[in-house]
Amino acid sequence: MEYRKLGNSGLKISELSFGSWVTFNKQIDTSLAEKMFGTCLDAGINFFDNAEGYERGMSEIVMGDALKKLQRPRDSYCVSSKVFFGAYDNPTPTQMGLSRKHITEACHQALNRLKVDYLDLYFCHRADPDTPIGETVWAMHNLIVQGKVLYWGTSEWAAHEIEEAYKFAKDNNLTPPSMEQPQYNLLDRDRFEVEYNDLFLKHGMGSTTWSPLASGALTGKYLDGIPDGSRASLKGYEWLKKHMIDSDRGKERMERVSNYIQIANEHNLNPSKLAIVWCLLNKNVSTVILGASKQKQLEENLSSIELKPLINETLIKKLNNI
Ligand code: NDP
C-alpha cells in the first residue's frame, strides 16, 4: 500500500480506503465488519469512511463496535463522519443541515456511535444554502480547537462554494477545509477533473473520492440484468437502480460500461480492479474509498494495486474514449 498526503496537510493516508455507505447494517453485520477491517488494516488501509446519514446512524454503530472489538491502536487509523442529512428518517429542521447547532450536536452523536474521542476527518456532506458560510466554518474551526475533529472538509460542494469557505477561513484566521469528498470514476469525471482543478492548484485541496466502481456498474455485472442481492436490487434503493440502469442516463451509461468491459477483456484485465486503479492515476486523488458488500469483493478490490505496472498510454487513451 502506498500513502498519499491529504492535499497540503501533513496527514498521510492510504491510497485505498474503505467506506460503509449502503453496506454496513444492511449487508454487513458487526462480525463481518470486524473481519473486513482486519483485512483492510493488514493490507495497510488507514482510513474508514462513514456519515451520520448512513442507515440513520446505524452504520456508525456497526463500525464503532467492529473497530472496538479489533482493539488496534487508535493512532494507527483514521475514521470519518459527515454532517448534513441527519440521522433520522424525518429529521426536524434542527436535526439536519450545517447550522452551528446541528454540526456541533451531530459531531457529539457521531463520536458516541463510533465510540471514539475524536473524528480524524469530518465532512459537510452537502452544501447548505440556508446557513451562512461563516457559521459553518466557525463551527468546524471550533470543533478542531476543542480537539473533537482533526481535519474538516466538504463533500459534493460546487467549486465556488468551496472557494468561499477558503476565503472566509483565510480572512478570519480560521482553519480552512483540508479535503473534498467527490464522486470520481471512469463514468463521472467532470467535477473532479475540470471544476475542481483550480482548487487543487491554488489551495492544495486533498480528496477522498467515492464510488470507484460507480456503485458496482463498472464490474460489468449489470449488463445482463440485475443480480439478486446486488445494490441495484436492494429495497429502499429503487432510486439508485433507476439512476444506474433504467433512466435514459442509465442506459447511456450502461452502453459505456459495455465498451469499457470490452477494453478490459482485450487487455486481459479484471474490470473491477482496472476501474479502481484508473482512479489512482490522477495525482489529485488522495485516497480512493472502496465499497464492498462481501469479503471476496474486498479482497479483489484491494489487489487492484497489483495492476499498476500494467497500465500504459495505449490503454489510458482507449479508456479516455469511453
Ligand atoms: P463502489 O462504486 O466501489 O461500489 C461498491 C459496491 O459495488 C459494493 O458494495 C458491491 O455492491 C459492488 N462491488 C464492489 N466490488 C465488487 C466486486 N469486486 N465485484 C462485484 N461487485 C462489487 O463504491 P461505493 O459506491 O460503495 O462508494 C465507496 C464509499 O464512498 C462509500 O462506502 C462511502 O463511504 C463513500 N461515498 C460517499 C458519498 C458522498 O456523498 N460523500 C456517496 C457515496 C459513497 P453489491 O455487492 O451490493 O452489488
Side-chain angles (χ1 to χ4, degrees):
M1 184 70 62
E2 290 185 20
Y3 296 83
R4 296 183 177 194
K5 290 231 298 168
L6 184 68
N8 271 355
S9 81
L11 186 67
K12 289 191 182 116
I13 198 159
S14 49
E15 60 184 354
L16 297 180
S17 44
F18 186 43
S20 57
W21 179 54
V22 182
T23 53
F24 278 43
N25 194 54
K26 200 165 181 75
Q27 298 166 298
I28 296 176
D29 61 12
T30 306
S31 101
L32 180 54
E34 187 187 348
K35 183 172 177 194
M36 290 171 117
F37 284 145
T39 304
C40 287
L41 290 162
D42 292 346
I45 280 189
N46 70 2
F47 167 46
F48 302 108
D49 186 59
N50 219 317
E52 62 168 356
Y54 294 172
E55 287 284 291
R56 300 167 311 286
M58 288 305 294
S59 171
E60 291 178 330
I61 290 177
V62 170
M63 187 177 271
D65 287 344
L67 283 172
K68 202 166 179 200
K69 279 189 173 177
L70 268 178
Q71 293 190 325
R72 301 286 178 111
R74 177 66 183 91
D75 56 3
S76 64
Y77 60 85
C78 302
V79 291
S80 76
S81 182
K82 309 187 200 81
V83 53
F84 177 77
F85 291 107
Y88 302 92
D89 274 338
N90 296 302
T92 68
T94 55
Q95 291 173 332
M96 60 182 297
L98 299 181
S99 65
R100 178 179 297 114
K101 178 171 173 67
H102 184 57
I103 287 180
T104 307
E105 286 168 347
C107 176
H108 293 159
Q109 289 160 9
L111 293 175
N112 281 335
R113 288 188 294 255
L114 285 162
K115 295 166 193 66
V116 291
D117 298 326
Y118 58 91
L119 299 170
D120 300 274
L121 279 65
Y122 198 31
F123 295 89
C124 297
H125 211 159
R126 294 292 181 267
D128 179 0
D130 292 335
T131 302
I133 189 66
E135 182 171 336
T136 298
V137 176
W138 263 113
M140 285 294 184
H141 174 81
N142 284 340
L143 288 173
I144 287 177
V145 171
Q146 291 164 13
K148 291 173 185 166
V149 167
L150 305 188
Y151 301 88
W152 81 273
T154 57
S155 178
E156 292 294 343
W157 285 28
H160 72 89
E161 293 164 331
I162 301 173
E163 187 60 53
E164 263 183 66
Y166 273 108
K167 185 170 181 333
F168 187 89
K170 185 163 188 274
D171 291 351
N172 294 279
N173 227 359
L174 303 175
T175 314
S178 294
M179 69 282 171
E180 225 291 328
Q181 185 166 132
Q183 180 167 206
Y184 187 51
N185 58 54
L186 274 157
L187 302 177
D188 302 280
R189 302 174 54 173
D190 282 1
R191 174 162 264 181
F192 192 85
E193 292 183 11
V194 183
E195 186 182 332
Y196 287 165
N197 201 34
D198 280 352
L199 295 168
F200 294 127
L201 286 171
K202 191 171 157 193
H203 300 294
M205 182 174 78
S207 72
T208 63
T209 63
W210 58 268
S211 283
L213 298 175
S215 270
L218 287 162
T219 63
K221 69 183 183 181
Y222 292 107
L223 289 176
D224 297 322
I226 299 171
D228 281 348
S230 64
R231 183 175 287 184
S233 76
L234 296 180
K235 199 166 175 291
Y237 288 87
E238 292 78 9
W239 62 271
L240 185 66
K241 172 174 168 267
K242 191 171 169 208
H243 183 74
M244 282 173 72
I245 300 158
D246 290 344
S247 58
D248 286 349
R249 175 185 178 274
K251 285 179 189 137
E252 182 269 331
R253 283 161 75 85
M254 280 301 152
E255 268 176 42
R256 291 200 277 148
V257 170
S258 172
N259 294 338
Y260 168 65
I261 299 295
Q262 209 178 322
I263 295 169
N265 289 343
E266 278 165 21
H267 287 255
N268 213 11
L269 296 172
N270 173 306
S272 309
K273 296 186 195 186
L274 177 59
I276 292 166
V277 92
W278 176 87
C279 299
L280 287 172
L281 297 176
N282 190 317
K283 66 174 176 26
N284 291 323
V285 170
S286 311
T287 182
V288 172
I289 313 176
L290 301 176
S293 68
K294 298 180 180 65
Q295 173 74 14
K296 200 165 157 261
Q297 292 175 355
L298 177 64
E299 285 169 14
E300 178 168 277
N301 298 349
L302 283 172
S303 69
S304 59
I305 43 184
E306 291 163 8
L307 260 54
K308 275 185 190 174
L310 305 178
I311 311 295
N312 57 39
E313 282 304 316
T314 318
L315 175 56
I316 293 172
K317 269 193 193 143
K318 284 190 200 170
L319 294 176
N320 279 339
N321 284 337
I322 68 149

